[in-house]
Amino acid sequence: SIASADMDSNQLEAFLTAQTKKQGGITSDQAAVIARFWKNHRTQIHESLIKQSCCDNILKNMNWRVDLKSQLRHIDQMNTPVAIVEMELGRNGQ
């Protein structure tokens, strides 16, 4: 199990207590250290998780058009619309 960055203090305490009771879990000293770290760095942890969950690529440009086929071997395929989409992706912040 993993602690969530949006846990309040009571939820975190309950989570850590449960981890100390699991076989092979953490000690109460380790739980205290984790709680102190989480409380001191909660905002940074939350921001880091948000950044990791967002896509790095952004849509910089998009062009599209619809063409009609006018020359084909089989006449029943003529005037069939075809959509052409061109997307330019870039890195976020670049």
Side-chain angles (χ1 to χ4, degrees):
S1 296
I2 297 175
S4 171
D6 60 355
M7 283 184 173
D8 65 28
S9 295
N10 292 335
Q11 290 172 319
L12 177 66
E13 187 176 329
F15 173 80
L16 292 175
T17 300
Q19 297 306 306
T20 62
K21 293 179 179 179
K22 282 186 177 180
Q23 185 174 356
I26 61 177
T27 66
S28 57
D29 288 341
Q30 290 170 327
V33 170
I34 292 169
R36 189 167 48 248
F37 180 85
W38 180 86
K39 288 173 185 175
N40 290 336
H41 300 285
R42 179 179 177 180
T43 302
Q44 293 92 327
I45 292 168
H46 182 73
E47 288 172 0
S48 177
L49 290 172
I50 294 296
K51 285 180 185 175
Q52 290 176 34
S53 66
C54 293
C55 296
D56 285 339
N57 290 328
I58 59 169
L59 181 63
K60 294 176 77 175
N61 190 22
M62 185 176 91
N63 296 308
W64 64 276
R65 72 176 194 240
V66 175
D67 290 346
L68 292 176
K69 296 180 181 180
S70 60
Q71 288 185 334
L72 288 167
R73 185 177 298 166
H74 302 290
I75 194 128
D76 60 339
Q77 292 179 345
M78 285 183 63
N79 296 325
T80 303
V82 176
I84 299 171
V85 179
E86 178 185 51
M87 293 184 287
E88 181 183 357
L89 300 176
R91 287 266 183 220
N92 199 359
Q94 295 180 355

